[in-house]
Amino acid sequence: MSALWSVGAGLLLLLLWVRHRGLEAVLVHHRWVFVCFFLLPLSILFDIYYQLRAWAVWRLHSAPRQHAQRVRHIQEQVREWKKEGSKRHMCTGRPGWLTVSLRVGKYKKIHKNIMINLMDVLEVDSERQVVRVEPLVSMGQLTAHLNPMGWTIPVVPELDDLTVGGLIMGTGIESSSHIYGLFQHTCVAYELVLADGSLVRCSPTENSDLFYAVPWSCGTLGFLVAAEIKMIPAKKYVKIHYEPVRGLQKICEKFTEESKKKENSFVEGLMYSLDEAVIMTGVLTDEPEQSKINRIGNYYKPWFFKHVEKYLKADRTGVEYIPSRHYYHRHTRSIFWELQDIIPFGNNPVFRYLFGWMVPPKISLLKLTQGEAIRKLYEQHHVVQDMLVPMKSLEKSIQTFHVDLNVYPIWLCPFILPNNPGMVHPKGNETELYVDIGAYGEPKSKQFEARASMRQMEKFVRSVHGFQMLYADCYMTREEFWDMFDGSLYHKLREEMNCKDAFPEVYDKICKAARH
């Protein structure tokens, strides 16, 4: 009883303090208070609800039976939109704050919202080595479903809450992408409801133009209702080798060398300054050395990027065995390193042991509660960007990131980019090795100004025939955007499938210059 009185008294004092300071001042200058006392408990409730729902669906085997009915409901909504005269563009009815993207999608307020409640794993086909899923299935949900069966997918993008639909309509990457490519390259078929209400399946051999045009289209060709993804046998552990490297040229040479080795199941780099990095390589295994097992995903463990930094500070190499699912979601607890700006003491051992089981807060809840003041603050003084550039331009790209942004750590993730049709492909006619350079945090560059600095970055990326991930803020003009991306197949299909009245152009959905 005394403990309850203490908690009650503490909450009362907290509310009085919030009232005295003002809610907006607390949210802007002491955001950790709101996150720790409100968003973390809410995030736990969210997780419990979705886990119970997934368990119930699995026990009742209801997903495949209800899928056809749900798709028919989507088709009915599209046909109703046509009967009403097709006066507004359509978009999914999922609230903008539920997406992992930090961008606020204001278009949902003026477009016709089509409700799409598709969040289940439909079928695991062991013979074909394919899993069929609905678009709102998350990476955390999918790996939890497949791993006990002895399967995984070739590319498991970081963060539990990323969805299959978002990773197809946008893009996704992981440290295995130097072998398998981007997330879209591991998909073998899509099912979509088109602007006329029809249901279409596409694959490399069936409606192939649509299959190659869907990735990066951000839902502007049709509504994704199912996807088939390749599966590979899962192993219990990832054997990780950590190697600190100093000197920018040596870092780039070592990273390129390891990225070309197909015997590496995983390749990743974390840069802690312009000339300091840790290059990590991993291989899947079922036979760990027991003394070197590190269950890095346990709630009381140090955040992964801080754990990696220890090898740099000690200037030593190291080998560990990390359980596979822990490895796939190694950056989830700290949202890469974004959480250190929200909860500055989040990696403190006392906080981890007492409250680490509640971390991370849902990105969707962070968006929902950020308010206009925080949104503007983040927009002007914070970057979350992934730029995809050819590996041969890595050194020049890092120097550009340093001058224009000066944000560390920087994430380096290699990927192979095949010369497939669609919006994103190499400049030449052959497959090429690329790298994702991820910058997340507060820029330390003295001349940083959000719009001008990002336009400078975008110009550089276009000059080396690179690409910008479309979840982030984009400042390009329409002409610059279509100079970066190949719109030939995309525009051809939008014309053929009468998409112009049904869906906005992808540029109008994602670029700041076009958004209302």
Side-chain angles (χ1 to χ4, degrees):
M1 185 62 72
S2 59
L4 287 174
W5 278 110
S6 299
V7 171
L11 286 174
L12 179 60
L13 289 172
L14 174 65
L15 290 172
L16 289 172
W17 178 69
V18 169
R19 184 179 179 184
H20 171 70
R21 293 298 305 271
L23 182 59
E24 184 169 309
V26 170
L27 290 179
V28 172
H29 301 293
H30 306 280
R31 200 178 185 199
W32 65 267
V33 175
F34 185 72
V35 170
C36 290
F37 285 95
F38 296 99
L39 294 194
L40 288 181
L42 275 177
S43 298
I44 291 293
L45 293 176
F46 254 64
D47 281 336
I48 290 172
Y49 166 74
Y50 282 110
Q51 287 171 9
L52 286 175
R53 185 192 179 281
W55 177 83
V57 167
W58 175 72
R59 292 292 296 175
L60 297 172
H61 303 288
S62 63
R65 291 198 302 270
Q66 294 185 5
H67 175 73
Q69 179 182 339
R70 290 171 180 160
V71 171
R72 282 194 296 271
H73 179 58
I74 295 167
Q75 292 177 284
E76 288 167 5
Q77 292 178 77
V78 172
R79 287 167 183 151
E80 185 64 29
W81 165 82
K82 288 189 70 179
K83 286 181 183 177
E84 293 171 355
S86 311
K87 296 174 183 177
R88 295 180 291 164
H89 284 143
M90 293 182 288
C91 66
T92 65
R94 190 185 189 207
W97 60 270
L98 272 175
T99 64
V100 172
S101 167
L102 296 179
R103 184 172 56 247
V104 178
K106 295 181 179 179
Y107 60 87
K108 288 186 181 285
K109 295 179 181 178
I110 58 173
H111 291 173
K112 171 74 172 177
N113 282 212
I114 304 298
M115 301 311 297
I116 297 179
N117 183 31
L118 300 170
M119 56 182 70
D120 297 316
V121 178
L122 298 174
E123 179 186 4
V124 177
D125 188 334
S126 299
E127 288 188 13
R128 291 176 58 218
Q129 295 194 14
V130 165
V131 57
R132 182 168 172 253
V133 299
E134 293 179 329
L136 295 182
V137 168
S138 69
M139 289 299 99
Q141 177 186 353
L142 187 55
T143 55
H145 189 94
L146 292 179
N147 287 172
M149 300 179 183
W151 295 104
T152 187
I153 55 176
V155 175
V156 184
E158 271 296 343
L159 304 184
D160 286 12
D161 292 341
L162 292 171
T163 64
V164 168
L167 295 167
I168 291 170
M169 291 297 184
T171 194
I173 192 170
E174 185 41 88
S175 53
S176 57
S177 289
H178 67 296
I179 299 173
Y180 299 105
L182 299 172
F183 186 83
Q184 69 202 57
H185 301 128
T186 68
C187 297
V188 296
Y190 310 126
E191 296 169 39
L192 296 100
V193 172
L194 303 183
D196 61 358
S198 62
L199 177 64
V200 171
R201 184 179 187 274
C202 58
S203 71
T205 57
E206 179 184 6
N207 298 310
S208 59
D209 278 357
L210 181 58
F211 176 79
Y212 290 115
V214 163
W216 295 76
S217 67
C218 297
T220 59
L221 293 173
F223 294 111
L224 184 71
V225 295
E228 295 178 21
I229 309 165
K230 294 175 188 174
M231 298 189 304
I232 58 174
K235 293 192 176 181
K236 295 178 181 177
Y237 293 90
V238 177
K239 180 183 179 182
I240 294 288
H241 178 262
Y242 303 90
E243 182 170 348
V245 185
R246 287 178 165 81
L248 181 57
Q249 185 177 349
K250 288 183 178 179
I251 290 169
C252 295
E253 288 173 355
K254 180 64 176 177
F255 186 75
T256 302
E257 176 190 338
E258 296 297 340
S259 299
K260 291 179 178 178
K261 293 179 181 177
K262 300 303 182 186
E263 59 266 31
N264 288 329
S265 305
F266 307 97
V267 179
E268 175 183 24
L270 292 183
M271 293 195 66
Y272 292 89
S273 72
L274 182 61
D275 57 3
E276 293 180 311
V278 177
I279 308 298
M280 290 160 279
T281 56
V283 293
L284 289 161
T285 181
D286 284 323
E287 299 173 355
E289 296 179 45
Q290 293 298 319
S291 62
K292 294 182 179 179
I293 292 176
N294 184 2
R295 303 184 188 281
I296 196 69
N298 287 349
Y299 70 88
Y300 52 83
K301 289 284 190 173
W303 290 345
F304 184 70
F305 79 97
K306 287 294 188 183
H307 172 67
V308 174
E309 191 176 18
K310 291 178 183 176
Y311 291 95
L312 182 66
K313 289 180 175 179
D315 196 24
R316 64 179 178 87
T317 60
V319 172
E320 289 183 328
Y321 293 82
I322 300 178
S324 294
R325 193 156 185 267
H326 288 217
Y327 177 81
Y328 289 138
H329 304 287
R330 64 199 177 282
H331 292 296
T332 292
R333 287 190 301 125
S334 56
I335 316 179
F336 280 86
W337 30 94
E338 288 278 65
L339 199 56
Q340 67 181 350
D341 292 334
I342 299 171
I343 308 177
F345 47 83
N347 194 48
N348 183 283
V350 175
F351 181 87
R352 292 201 313 265
Y353 275 88
L354 292 179
F355 304 108
W357 57 277
M358 303 173 76
V359 167
K362 291 287 184 187
I363 294 176
S364 53
L365 293 179
L366 288 171
K367 282 176 63 179
L368 179 65
T369 58
Q370 67 181 356
E372 191 63 18
I374 294 178
R375 189 188 67 77
K376 287 182 178 178
L377 192 69
Y378 263 63
E379 190 173 293
Q380 294 301 320
H381 304 287
H382 197 91
V383 296
V384 180
Q385 292 282 349
D386 284 86
M387 299 294 188
L388 315 181
V389 298
M391 186 67 80
K392 61 191 177 188
S393 302
L394 177 58
E395 186 172 347
K396 191 195 308 183
S397 301
I398 292 173
Q399 289 170 337
T400 301
F401 267 69
H402 180 77
V403 171
D404 291 344
L405 302 179
N406 193 9
V407 171
Y408 293 97
I410 282 177
W411 191 51
L412 301 178
C413 185
F415 69 98
I416 202 77
L417 185 62
N419 187 34
N420 293 338
M423 286 176 60
V424 172
H425 55 75
K427 189 174 183 179
N429 296 322
E430 296 181 358
T431 295
E432 187 173 347
L433 187 62
Y434 270 62
V435 57
D436 174 8
I437 304 177
Y440 325 117
E442 183 181 350
K444 301 297 190 294
S445 175
K446 292 180 180 178
Q447 66 263 32
F448 177 80
E449 192 280 319
R451 186 178 184 278
S453 298
M454 288 317 306
R455 280 190 54 75
Q456 187 70 21
M457 287 288 301
E458 291 165 350
K459 181 180 179 181
F460 168 78
V461 172
R462 290 196 305 275
S463 74
V464 297
H465 198 72
F467 308 95
Q468 180 181 24
M469 282 199 185
L470 300 183
Y471 75 86
D473 284 334
C474 172
Y475 293 85
M476 289 182 281
T477 65
R478 194 179 302 273
E479 291 72 26
E480 290 167 344
F481 182 85
W482 290 118
D483 180 43
M484 177 180 284
F485 296 97
D486 182 355
S488 54
L489 180 60
Y490 172 78
H491 289 303
K492 170 177 170 278
L493 285 179
R494 274 179 63 84
E495 193 75 43
E496 289 178 359
M497 299 191 306
N498 298 316
C499 291
K500 290 187 176 182
D501 292 332
F503 307 105
E505 186 182 298
V506 60
Y507 176 82
D508 296 312
K509 282 188 76 170
I510 62 96
C511 284
K512 275 189 169 291
R515 273 183 271 152
H516 302 289

